[in-house]
Amino acid sequence: MIPHRSNRSRRALVPAAALGAALAFGAPAALADTAPVSPSGTGAPASAAAPQAAAAASPSATWVAGTRAYLVITTPGDTTAVRNAVTANGGTVFQYYDAIGVITAHSASASFAATMRGVSGVQQVGATRTSDVPADAYNPALPANPAQSTTPSGEPVRADMTQIKADQAWAVTTGSASVKVGILDTGVDDQHQDLAPNFNAADSASCAYGKPDTRTGAWRDIGTHGTHVAGTVAAARNGKGVIGVAPGVKISSVRIAEPGSSLFFAENTVCGFMWAGDHGFKVTNNSYYTDPWQFNCPDDADQAAIIEGVRRAQEYAEGKGSLQVAAAGNSNIDLANKTTDTESPNDSTPVTRTITNACLDIPTELPGVVTVSAMGTTAKASYSNYGLNVIDITAPGGDGTGIYSTLPGGRYGSKSGTSMAAPHVAGVAALLASTNPAITPAQLRDKLATQANDIACPSDSRCKGTTARNGFFGEGQVDALKAVGSTPPPGTYFENTADFAIGDYTTVESPITVSGVTGNAPATLKVGVNIVHTYIGDLKVDLIAPDGTVYTVHNRSGGSTDNLGRVYTVNASAEVANGTWKLLVNDNARGDTGRIDSWNLTF
């Protein structure tokens, strides 16, 4: 069983690779990214905890030099009195969350934190930066919307997908469109040909600076990292480019990296987790650490407040049904035996300091977060962090060749790192949630553990533990096929991934031509249906055999539930298998529309 406590360290941001190229180490940002691959080319917020906490407490302020950001921690509930104290003591309230008792405040007063720590009802106060809040925080510029290149048809299955048996799991499910995965990162290029089919703009935002920005495009990528991660989770199965682990689920972008620095400060992370909880994300991917401290130590007042604020936000998201998956980091260090931090603070001048295991890499080492190390093909990736009872599970991260995925502008490229391993696990978690719609975060953690394939320690004294659980691989390598049912359905598999629009009071059909199957269809013909449509109670869905026989699989049940994604079993033993089968969908009411996203037959 994966324990509720999980550790992950974050890594450096890697520049995006040109089409087909790989990445090398990049600038010192908080991304859990990249080990060296062949050098070439160019190389995630949140919202209101509860309705009353969603809005910022004050209008945009006028920026002045010396403005710093603080987390002010108080009792969850009505934070009015503490917010008033912020204003009375030389600060402004930038954002607040009554549900968790966390306020993001700005102040240019050097005594602000010390003064607020003496205010009644204030539990902790901590500066989240050692540098000024950028002026852009008060009037953020929208990220660029890159021109899109096109890619010739062709969608080979990647080696990393075969390694975790995702390609076999797709015969069971490609994931449900009702499952939302949040990409908390540098942003996502929602226009990319391989991401647009699965992108959920309605639940996307920017949390840069610690306040939700829902303007169209605010969620777009300020680098390349988030787009690459998104492709590994859920690039569409559309005959182009690449296929993600869960190509049928929906992805939302919550940009928590700030432009210019590409750093992920605590208020941004808090915002991201609150947004995830309030917007129904079943899984979030977190391939970063919370800047500017690689490790936050509880004996430092500022860092203690960061730990508490982010912890409360993660707990809130989990309480709303969201599982957080995070990357372990690429410094090749033992997270179970911390001694030194040489990278912090990374927003000013790093210093070398002695640390202990009480100092946490967050959000990775927070309770409930699943920590992911990286593998090459068979061994721990050379760069991956490790640690007994810290690493929960492992997945391919690329070690030499890199993980090939989407890049902004319709491009593709390779990156290596635990940043690339984590989205494999997030994708498998999304497949699990697709086949178990009522599953809880705790149950998801347990299932990820039980389905993992054990990997024994190599002849390496750094690897502690047993074959069943050790410091290099945790519970083992994630296995998508075992996660969704252990074996693929027997028989030949056919699929139509083309979209067919479903309008009001219309009937549409999607064909599949079956050939090469001997005799009749089985008595247990598997019919996988993925329909994106609000209010599925409007729909009647029939399977039409080649001779015209009608088999009804869904008849206006489900009421106001959105989206139909499940596998039906049909006794079609009276039908000749070969020929053209059709999925017929009839909309019987006004006001809700959608599309046949994909469907499949397994004989």
Side-chain angles (χ1 to χ4, degrees):
M1 170 178 174
I2 293 178
H4 283 204
R5 169 178 171 143
S6 167
N7 296 290
R8 174 193 95 28
S9 155
R10 120 307 173 88
R11 236 50 21 243
L13 167 61
V14 183
L19 178 62
L23 276 283
F25 275 110
L31 298 170
D33 215 38
T34 286
V37 187
S38 56
S40 158
T42 48
S47 109
Q52 74 274 15
S58 61
S60 294
T62 301
W63 181 87
V64 296
T67 297
R68 297 292 170 89
Y70 300 85
L71 292 185
V72 180
I73 312 295
T74 186
T75 303
D78 186 356
T79 63
T80 301
V82 175
R83 285 186 276 119
N84 289 340
V86 167
T87 304
N89 287 285
T92 59
V93 174
F94 190 73
Q95 177 71 353
Y96 68 98
Y97 305 96
D98 280 347
I100 62 171
V102 174
I103 299 163
T104 297
H106 289 178
S107 180
S109 169
S111 61
F112 176 77
T115 301
M116 285 300 299
R117 287 174 187 139
V119 171
S120 176
V122 172
Q123 298 170 354
Q124 296 181 67
V125 179
T128 64
R129 308 163 184 249
T130 62
S131 58
D132 289 0
V133 174
D136 185 63
Y138 298 106
N139 187 24
L142 288 173
N145 184 11
Q148 299 293 317
S149 60
T150 57
T151 298
S153 296
E155 196 175 40
V157 176
R158 298 170 355 196
D160 52 308
M161 295 298 163
T162 301
Q163 185 172 331
I164 66 168
K165 300 189 177 116
D167 55 335
Q168 297 181 57
W170 298 331
V172 179
T173 180
T174 55
S176 169
S178 64
V179 172
K180 302 176 187 176
V181 179
I183 310 298
L184 277 59
D185 214 289
T186 62
V188 173
D189 179 5
D190 56 308
Q191 306 297 307
H192 194 291
Q193 60 188 349
D194 242 351
L195 301 178
N198 291 336
F199 192 80
N200 174 19
D203 293 308
S204 295
S206 169
C207 269
Y209 310 117
K211 181 189 299 185
D213 181 353
T214 58
R215 292 176 296 165
T216 299
W219 55 72
R220 292 191 177 125
D221 210 332
I222 60 167
T224 62
H225 191 270
T227 299
H228 192 280
V229 164
T232 296
V233 174
R237 196 175 182 192
N238 56 3
K240 302 174 183 177
V242 297
I243 310 172
V245 176
V249 305
K250 290 300 180 185
I251 49 175
S252 295
S253 171
V254 185
R255 177 168 66 86
I256 57 175
E258 296 182 4
S261 67
S262 292
L263 297 182
F264 302 66
F265 292 101
E267 60 268 36
N268 309 359
T269 306
V270 169
C271 175
F273 286 150
M274 299 303 288
W275 182 275
D278 287 334
H279 289 261
F281 294 173
K282 198 68 177 179
V283 183
T284 70
N285 189 86
N286 302 269
S287 291
Y288 62 91
Y289 69 76
T290 301
D291 296 294
W293 306 99
Q294 182 179 19
F295 300 99
N296 286 271
C297 299
D299 59 354
D300 179 279
D302 291 326
Q303 294 165 43
I306 291 173
I307 294 171
E308 180 64 11
V310 177
R311 183 197 68 78
R312 290 189 186 187
Q314 168 347 74
E315 188 176 77
Y316 177 85
E318 181 168 348
K320 292 285 189 175
S322 178
L323 176 72
Q324 276 57 253
V325 175
N330 302 337
S331 297
N332 193 27
I333 61 174
D334 186 350
L335 295 174
N337 292 284
K338 305 185 187 89
T339 58
T340 306
D341 176 13
T342 62
E343 298 184 19
S344 308
N346 64 0
D347 66 335
S348 54
T349 304
V351 297
T352 298
R353 57 179 182 150
T354 299
I355 62 172
T356 69
N357 284 349
C359 301
L360 302 180
D361 175 358
I362 61 174
T364 267
E365 291 190 89
L366 293 176
V369 178
V370 175
T371 302
V372 184
S373 68
M375 291 185 66
T377 303
T378 59
K380 181 185 88 71
S382 58
Y383 51 79
S384 181
N385 287 351
Y386 56 95
L388 183 62
N389 298 322
V390 175
I391 301 302
D392 291 321
I393 201 163
T394 194
D399 196 8
T401 57
I403 300 298
Y404 190 71
S405 187
T406 49
L407 296 176
R411 299 178 302 125
Y412 300 84
S414 295
K415 294 177 184 281
S416 286
T418 55
S419 279
M420 285 62 253
H424 287 86
V425 176
V428 171
L431 291 178
L432 277 166
S434 297
T435 55
N436 302 272
I439 198 167
T440 67
Q443 291 167 337
L444 271 177
R445 281 193 297 269
D446 288 347
K447 282 188 173 292
L448 284 170
T450 57
Q451 57 76 41
N453 294 314
D454 292 343
I455 303 177
C457 279
S459 299
D460 188 326
S461 61
R462 299 174 302 165
C463 186
K464 311 295 184 184
T466 65
T467 298
R469 183 175 178 89
N470 58 63
F472 274 16
F473 309 113
E475 298 281 354
Q477 180 176 255
V478 70
D479 187 316
L481 179 58
K482 287 170 63 177
V484 299
S486 76
T487 58
T492 308
Y493 180 83
F494 300 87
E495 183 178 32
N496 189 337
T497 61
D499 289 350
F500 292 84
I502 305 169
D504 286 333
Y505 296 112
T506 61
T507 299
V508 296
E509 61 182 36
S510 174
I512 289 178
T513 299
V514 173
S515 61
V517 179
T518 303
N520 285 7
T524 55
L525 177 65
K526 301 298 183 184
V527 184
V529 176
N530 185 14
I531 296 175
V532 178
H533 192 288
T534 51
Y535 214 103
I536 62 173
D538 291 358
L539 302 179
K540 182 174 183 287
V541 182
D542 298 315
L543 175 68
I544 311 298
D547 68 356
T549 303
V550 177
Y551 297 87
T552 300
V553 297
H554 173 87
N555 193 3
R556 304 198 65 182
S557 61
S560 62
T561 303
D562 291 346
N563 305 322
L564 186 62
R566 60 173 296 183
V567 178
Y568 300 93
T569 301
V570 173
N571 183 352
S573 57
E575 308 296 336
V576 173
N578 292 334
T580 299
W581 297 72
K582 298 176 183 177
L583 192 73
L584 190 73
V585 180
N586 174 243
D587 183 291
N588 293 276
R590 179 175 300 151
D592 293 272
T593 60
R595 70 179 186 275
I596 302 174
D597 190 66
S598 65
W599 73 288
N600 58 73
L601 294 170
T602 305
F603 288 82

